[in-house]
Amino acid sequence: GGGGDGGVYPLTHTEMQWMQSANMGVGTGIGAVARDHRHWADRASEDALRLDRATLCAASSKPLAPPVVVTELGLLCNKEELLERLLSKSMPQHLAHVQSLRDFAEATLHPNPHYAADKAAKGGEAAEDREVPFVCPIAGTPMNGRSPFVFLRPSGRVVSERALKGVGATACPVTDVPLGEGDTVHLNPNAEQREALEQRHEERRAAAKAAKVAKGGKKAQKAAAAAAA
């Protein structure tokens, strides 16, 4: 599902390994036990990566904390840290699509009342069982990377995809603000969703550029008319 598959940041060797874990052979004996062990280790690594992408700033790898923004391609960032990267022109490759203030929007995340930042994770606790900083305000689903979440442009809310589908995906389930085409951004999208977001992003840029050119043309026409008068 969207949001839980990762596929956003450039893949490391370790990530490539866990992506290939599904292709491991099935057998018996010591070799099979070793493969099974690697399989579960890869699953744990996958869960950890998903958790990081749902709870850490994509610009700094620090814990997400308001004000939080969502980029055009569905990455979550702490606003101040993203702005610092933008101003210093030190944007990491996976955030290369952020070139101006138009390429991200401020988001409202719903805090998890059961989360305590200073509470250490229990030993052996699975990633999906840990309390995380944010949850869906409607369904209560934890934002831990295992369930898909979306950002709704008109309202600025972040909710689970399940909650959005529950109201027919036609309005924000929190504010009832109507949603139009292109108003929903999948967070940490899978490959297919990312491709769609990239296309939409390019279309927005092209439209903004065309509008700027058209505005410049009108100004030139007015200036020419004034000069001729």
PDB file of all heavy atoms in Angstrom, residues 112-116 119 131-132:
ATOM      1  N   ASN A 112      -0.110  11.788  19.245  1.00  0.00           N
ATOM      2  CA  ASN A 112      -0.555  10.576  19.926  1.00  0.00           C
ATOM      3  C   ASN A 112      -0.518  10.829  21.432  1.00  0.00           C
ATOM      4  O   ASN A 112       0.541  11.040  22.009  1.00  0.00           O
ATOM      5  CB  ASN A 112       0.385   9.416  19.564  1.00  0.00           C
ATOM      6  CG  ASN A 112       0.040   8.123  20.297  1.00  0.00           C
ATOM      7  OD1 ASN A 112      -0.952   8.040  21.012  1.00  0.00           O
ATOM      8  ND2 ASN A 112       0.877   7.115  20.097  1.00  0.00           N
ATOM      9  N   PRO A 113      -1.677  10.816  22.098  1.00  0.00           N
ATOM     10  CA  PRO A 113      -1.721  11.112  23.546  1.00  0.00           C
ATOM     11  C   PRO A 113      -0.975  10.088  24.407  1.00  0.00           C
ATOM     12  O   PRO A 113      -0.656  10.358  25.557  1.00  0.00           O
ATOM     13  CB  PRO A 113      -3.223  11.116  23.859  1.00  0.00           C
ATOM     14  CG  PRO A 113      -3.827  10.259  22.799  1.00  0.00           C
ATOM     15  CD  PRO A 113      -3.013  10.516  21.563  1.00  0.00           C
ATOM     16  N   HIS A 114      -0.694   8.920  23.846  1.00  0.00           N
ATOM     17  CA  HIS A 114      -0.018   7.861  24.607  1.00  0.00           C
ATOM     18  C   HIS A 114       1.492   7.868  24.405  1.00  0.00           C
ATOM     19  O   HIS A 114       2.195   7.041  24.996  1.00  0.00           O
ATOM     20  CB  HIS A 114      -0.568   6.494  24.196  1.00  0.00           C
ATOM     21  CG  HIS A 114      -2.047   6.376  24.367  1.00  0.00           C
ATOM     22  ND1 HIS A 114      -2.680   6.472  25.587  1.00  0.00           N
ATOM     23  CD2 HIS A 114      -3.043   6.197  23.453  1.00  0.00           C
ATOM     24  CE1 HIS A 114      -3.983   6.350  25.431  1.00  0.00           C
ATOM     25  NE2 HIS A 114      -4.233   6.185  24.147  1.00  0.00           N
ATOM     26  N   TYR A 115       1.965   8.785  23.578  1.00  0.00           N
ATOM     27  CA  TYR A 115       3.399   8.801  23.275  1.00  0.00           C
ATOM     28  C   TYR A 115       4.155   9.696  24.250  1.00  0.00           C
ATOM     29  O   TYR A 115       3.724  10.800  24.566  1.00  0.00           O
ATOM     30  CB  TYR A 115       3.628   9.304  21.852  1.00  0.00           C
ATOM     31  CG  TYR A 115       5.089   9.483  21.488  1.00  0.00           C
ATOM     32  CD1 TYR A 115       5.888   8.390  21.187  1.00  0.00           C
ATOM     33  CD2 TYR A 115       5.666  10.755  21.449  1.00  0.00           C
ATOM     34  CE1 TYR A 115       7.227   8.550  20.850  1.00  0.00           C
ATOM     35  CE2 TYR A 115       6.996  10.928  21.117  1.00  0.00           C
ATOM     36  CZ  TYR A 115       7.773   9.823  20.816  1.00  0.00           C
ATOM     37  OH  TYR A 115       9.100   9.996  20.493  1.00  0.00           O
ATOM     38  N   ALA A 116       5.303   9.195  24.699  1.00  0.00           N
ATOM     39  CA  ALA A 116       6.189   9.994  25.543  1.00  0.00           C
ATOM     40  C   ALA A 116       7.570   9.962  24.906  1.00  0.00           C
ATOM     41  O   ALA A 116       8.166   8.891  24.759  1.00  0.00           O
ATOM     42  CB  ALA A 116       6.238   9.426  26.950  1.00  0.00           C
ATOM     43  N   LYS A 119      10.379   8.150  26.662  1.00  0.00           N
ATOM     44  CA  LYS A 119      10.162   6.757  27.039  1.00  0.00           C
ATOM     45  C   LYS A 119      10.918   5.847  26.081  1.00  0.00           C
ATOM     46  O   LYS A 119      10.645   5.825  24.887  1.00  0.00           O
ATOM     47  CB  LYS A 119       8.664   6.421  26.990  1.00  0.00           C
ATOM     48  CG  LYS A 119       8.347   4.995  27.429  1.00  0.00           C
ATOM     49  CD  LYS A 119       6.853   4.740  27.332  1.00  0.00           C
ATOM     50  CE  LYS A 119       6.521   3.306  27.732  1.00  0.00           C
ATOM     51  NZ  LYS A 119       5.079   3.030  27.606  1.00  0.00           N
ATOM     52  N   GLU A 131       4.895   2.926  20.564  1.00  0.00           N
ATOM     53  CA  GLU A 131       4.096   4.140  20.485  1.00  0.00           C
ATOM     54  C   GLU A 131       4.868   5.150  19.630  1.00  0.00           C
ATOM     55  O   GLU A 131       6.077   5.307  19.774  1.00  0.00           O
ATOM     56  CB  GLU A 131       3.855   4.725  21.879  1.00  0.00           C
ATOM     57  CG  GLU A 131       2.946   3.880  22.765  1.00  0.00           C
ATOM     58  CD  GLU A 131       1.501   3.846  22.279  1.00  0.00           C
ATOM     59  OE1 GLU A 131       1.147   4.619  21.357  1.00  0.00           O
ATOM     60  OE2 GLU A 131       0.729   3.042  22.807  1.00  0.00           O
ATOM     61  N   VAL A 132       4.169   5.799  18.724  1.00  0.00           N
ATOM     62  CA  VAL A 132       4.803   6.779  17.841  1.00  0.00           C
ATOM     63  C   VAL A 132       4.201   8.160  18.107  1.00  0.00           C
ATOM     64  O   VAL A 132       3.120   8.275  18.690  1.00  0.00           O
ATOM     65  CB  VAL A 132       4.616   6.385  16.366  1.00  0.00           C
ATOM     66  CG1 VAL A 132       5.447   5.148  16.026  1.00  0.00           C
ATOM     67  CG2 VAL A 132       3.147   6.145  16.044  1.00  0.00           C
TER      68      VAL A 132
END
